Amino acid sequence: MKYFNSNQSLYSKGIFIGCLEGYATFQLENNEIIYFEQINKKIEHHYDLKSNRYKNKSFDIYYTEIFDDLDEEEFIIFRLDDLKLL
């Protein structure tokens, strides 16, 4: 079986819902809910997403969708690369 890995950089506007089960969670402008498993360190220093301070605030969201096909199990990880408060 062939191993496959792909990264895709994406952008969307969205609203910060909060940290749900340890994941930074946003509702994108297309109403899709996305959970970020990984967050760039510079975001953690600039925005305290674990507090309620940014809940329901709008952001420009820059993120990467990481697709892995390993051992016949496919999974997608979302990494939050950058945020800009609107």
Side-chain angles (χ1 to χ4, degrees), residues 2-3 19-20 24 29 31 33 37-38 41 45 48 54 57 60 73 83-84 86:
K2 241 179 158 178
Y3 171 71
C19 276
L20 305 177
E29 59 190 347
N31 290 325
I33 303 294
E37 289 110 349
Q38 299 176 0
K41 295 270 186 223
H45 289 347
D48 182 7
Y54 296 103
K57 302 285 186 192
D60 282 332
E73 289 187 34
L83 282 178
K84 303 245 187 296
L86 298 176

Side-chain angles (χ1 to χ4, degrees), residues 3-4 10 14-15 19 23 25-27 34 36 41-42 46 49-50 53 56 60 66-67 71 81-82:
Y3 171 71
F4 179 76
L10 300 165
I15 297 172
C19 276
Y23 300 119
T25 307
F26 288 82
Q27 180 176 0
I34 190 165
F36 290 102
K41 295 270 186 223
K42 72 178 181 177
H46 193 70
L49 297 178
K50 293 180 182 173
R53 180 175 180 196
N56 299 318
D60 282 332
I66 303 166
F67 176 79
D71 297 335
D81 296 321
D82 200 7

Side-chain angles (χ1 to χ4, degrees), residues 63-74:
Y63 64 101
T64 302
E65 179 183 74
I66 303 166
F67 176 79
D68 271 308
D69 179 8
L70 181 62
D71 297 335
E72 297 182 18
E73 289 187 34
E74 298 175 359

